[in-house]
Structure formats: C-alpha cells, structure tokens
Amino acid sequence: MLRPITQALICALGLSITTLVQAQDPITIKFAHVVAEHTPKGQGALLFKKLAEERLPGKVVVQVYPNSSLFGDGKEMEALLLGDVQLIAPSLAKFEHYSKGIQIFDLPFLFDDMAAVDRFQKGPGGQKLLRSMEDKNITGLAYWHNGLKQLSANKPLRVPADARGLKFRVQASAVLEEQFKAVRANPRKMSFAEVYQGLQTGVVNGAENPYSNIFSQKMHEVQKYITETNHGLLDYMVITNTKFWTGLPADVRTELEKILGEVTVSVNQQADALNQGDKQRILEAKTTEIITLTPEQRAEWRTAMQPVWKKFEPEIGADLIKAAQEANQAP
Ligand code: LMR
C-alpha cells in the first residue's frame, strides 16, 4: 500500500511528465485547398510545408490536403473558424460574406495585367483588405497569384452576343453573377470540385478559369473553345484563424510569417509560367481551340461587362476602385 505522500509525488511526477510531453508535441497545421498540386496554390502549399518542417523541426508539422480532399469550397471557411483547419487560401471571389471590399478583385477588366494586381495588393488598399476580417476572427496573411481568367465553352465566343443564353459556372460571388448577366448569359453557382462534371453533363455550358485550373481539372477535354479574354482575376488570400495565429509561440509565428513571405514571392513569380505551360499543354492535347480576340472584340467585352463596377461601387467603395485603377499605371 502506497503512503498518501508517495501517491501525491507519483501523481505530481505523472502530471509534469504529461506537461513535458505535451510541451514537446509539434503544432499541427492543416492546410486545405481545392485545386490540384501542380497549380500555383498547390505548389505554394507544398513549399510552405517543406520550409516550415525544415526550419521548425519537431515544432511544426504541416499536413496539406489538395483537391477538396478535406473540405470543399463550401465548407473550408466554416472549418477554419471552427479550428478544424488552420490555413486555407480561397480565391478572392469567395469572401463576399466576410468582407465586401474584397469583391473589388472580381470586377471585370479592372486590372490591365498581373503587375498591376501586384502593385494594388502591395499598396495600402490591398494591405487594408488583408486585415478587413479580423473582427470575424480571420487574418489575411498573404496574396497568392494564380492569374487572369479565360472564358471557355463548346461554341466559339468572340463577341458578347455569342455568350447570350449560355449557362456559365461561377464561383460563389455576386459580382461574377452580375458579370455574366451583363452579357445576357445565365450564371450558375457551383463548387470547384463539381465543375468538370457540370461541363461534361451540360448542367453548365461554359466557365471562366486561368489555364492552370482548366488543364489540371481536364476541363479542356469537355470544352471545345477557350477565348483568351484575360477579363478577370483569379488570385488567393492565404488566411488563418486569428485566435490560432496569435496563440502560437512568438518565435514559431515569426518564423512561419517569414516562410510565408518567401513562399509568396516564389508562388507569385512562378504562377505566370505555370499558366503559360498549361496553355501549351492544352494546345498539344488538340482538344480545344484557343481563340485570340482582336483589340476591338476585347473592347466589346469590356464595354458590356464594365457596368458591373457601378453596381458594386457602394459596397466596395469608390476610393478603393480608384486606387485599383491607379495601379494600372506603372510607376
Ligand atoms: C474556383 O472555384 O474556380 C477557384 O476558386 C478554384 C481555386 O481555388 O483556384
């Protein structure tokens, strides 16, 4: 029979061993996303894992879940808030319930090219949007590029009238819905994981995606035409749960932020090459004709879609839209 004092000692020892073991347990960061690994976001998530585990050995473990394998895009934000996933990078089209300002990135024909997007994201307007959801326990850590979107369909789209009456898959974004209504097409909201099948079965006739998403989801196999419109942006915000992030040990958080900075530079430098490589692969597959617009045809699309800006100006803010337009001017 153990004497009470011995029992108490054993208990205390047991407790402190448990605390010690717990203190040494690595922090697990689940990073979920909806795209394939060979895409800008897919590569970024893997590089983040590699660098975090190399530089914080035993302290941090990163588990990456691509292709909606943990959460699809209808669920990932909720999962982040519940603490079931620690990092996600939804496209900027998927934030309208959390920050009206972020809708700016969906306005058609707003940015002339990715350099302009970069200038706006790095400027005061873009940086403010990263912090615009902290009252909702969401912290924006970085912007990652994918690139500009192209229209696809089973008929050639050269002028806006060609899109009339067609059903286009859109992300969960009121701006993107209005963009298609502006050319008298029918937008249908659909999660990313369902797009291939939606196109294959004719639930939708067309879509808008950067080349990397078209190729990695094999959408070119079910779309005969892609029109190189470059009409809108598909970029991402890497976000975390604010309470989780601020609760990390300071040294770990600082290192992870440094790593994310490096990963961001790498993703944003390589996204364009990845998209151009996938454009070539689509051409080589010979399933799909890629249509280049004349400047006059492209201007027609812009004229038809641009009224959407005015519709969303009260929600987004005229100043922010002005700042984005100014980013089109190279310094
Ligand atoms: C989409 O739903 O089309 C995109 O947001 C997918 C992605 O994450 O690139």
Side-chain angles (χ1 to χ4, degrees):
M1 192 71 184
L2 291 171
R3 305 216 338 244
I5 182 125
T6 323
Q7 274 179 338
L9 263 175
I10 290 171
C11 249
L13 201 65
L15 266 181
S16 60
I17 287 171
T18 317
T19 322
L20 206 68
V21 171
Q22 276 171 354
Q24 286 173 347
D25 269 354
I27 299 158
T28 300
I29 298 181
K30 292 185 184 173
F31 191 155
H33 64 82
V34 300
V35 290
E37 286 188 340
H38 194 73
T39 55
K41 181 162 60 176
Q43 293 292 296
L46 290 175
L47 181 60
F48 176 76
K49 171 183 169 69
K50 179 174 177 283
L51 297 181
E53 291 181 353
E54 261 170 30
R55 297 198 198 152
L56 295 163
K59 287 191 179 172
V60 167
V61 170
V62 181
Q63 297 169 352
V64 179
Y65 298 90
N67 283 315
S68 309
S69 56
L70 187 62
F71 299 109
D73 50 21
K75 287 272 180 293
E76 60 181 13
M77 202 80 94
E78 209 179 298
L80 184 86
L81 291 172
L82 289 170
D84 293 336
V85 62
Q86 288 69 39
L87 280 180
I88 57 174
S91 100
L92 297 169
K94 295 175 184 171
F95 287 90
E96 65 181 21
H97 296 303
Y98 302 89
S99 165
K100 293 290 177 211
I102 297 176
Q103 294 183 112
I104 190 168
F105 293 105
D106 278 348
L107 295 180
F109 293 97
L110 179 62
F111 296 107
D112 290 347
D113 51 31
M114 293 307 290
V117 173
D118 221 36
R119 283 192 287 274
F120 176 72
Q121 290 175 346
K122 287 181 177 151
Q127 291 300 302
K128 200 168 155 201
L129 290 174
L130 285 178
R131 298 184 299 269
S132 63
M133 299 174 285
E134 280 180 355
D135 59 335
K136 299 183 179 70
N137 198 28
I138 298 171
T139 295
L141 297 167
Y143 289 106
W144 283 2
H145 295 332
N146 187 329
L148 297 174
K149 292 179 290 187
Q150 321 303 346
L151 289 177
S152 68
N154 278 322
K155 63 177 270 198
L157 304 174
R158 293 198 170 84
V159 290
D162 296 332
R164 194 172 296 168
L166 293 186
K167 288 173 277 179
F168 281 90
R169 178 268 172 167
V170 289
Q171 303 175 72
S173 153
V175 179
L176 298 180
E177 280 186 306
E178 287 302 320
Q179 168 196 277
F180 281 108
K181 285 186 189 162
V183 295
R184 300 215 237 148
N186 302 317
R188 293 268 188 283
K189 285 186 187 168
M190 190 181 275
S191 68
F192 188 64
E194 291 168 355
V195 182
Y196 176 87
Q197 215 189 351
L199 290 168
Q200 193 187 32
T201 56
V203 170
V204 285
N205 313 115
E208 51 165 5
N209 286 282
Y211 286 114
S212 59
N213 279 2
I214 297 176
F215 184 73
S216 59
Q217 298 298 316
K218 300 187 169 53
M219 289 183 211
H220 58 292
E221 293 179 0
V222 287
Q223 295 278 263
K224 292 201 182 79
Y225 298 93
I226 295 173
T227 306
E228 192 161 284
T229 42
N230 287 319
H231 64 281
L233 174 70
L234 201 152
D235 262 16
Y236 307 108
M237 192 186 286
V238 183
I239 56 173
T240 188
N241 179 309
T242 308
K243 280 201 196 98
F244 166 76
W245 202 251
T246 52
L248 287 171
D251 58 329
V252 170
R253 189 175 56 244
T254 306
E255 188 58 36
L256 289 177
E257 282 169 357
K258 194 164 151 254
I259 291 168
L260 256 174
E262 290 174 41
V263 176
T264 300
V265 171
S266 163
V267 169
N268 292 355
Q269 269 172 2
Q270 288 171 31
D272 188 48
L274 221 150
N275 276 300
Q276 291 312 316
D278 283 345
K279 176 182 174 181
Q280 281 314 313
R281 288 180 193 100
I282 293 168
L283 286 170
E284 282 156 23
K286 297 195 190 311
T287 51
T288 312
E289 183 185 332
I290 298 184
I291 298 169
T292 309
L293 296 177
T294 64
E296 294 74 25
Q297 287 170 331
R298 190 163 184 272
E300 272 197 56
W301 287 94
R302 173 191 270 269
T303 307
M305 289 178 164
Q306 212 167 354
V308 173
W309 294 21
K310 267 274 165 277
K311 213 168 235 167
F312 287 89
E313 193 184 282
E315 288 180 25
I316 295 171
D319 286 359
L320 205 59
I321 297 177
K322 190 160 164 272
Q325 284 178 280
E326 283 165 6
N328 284 324
Q329 315 301 324

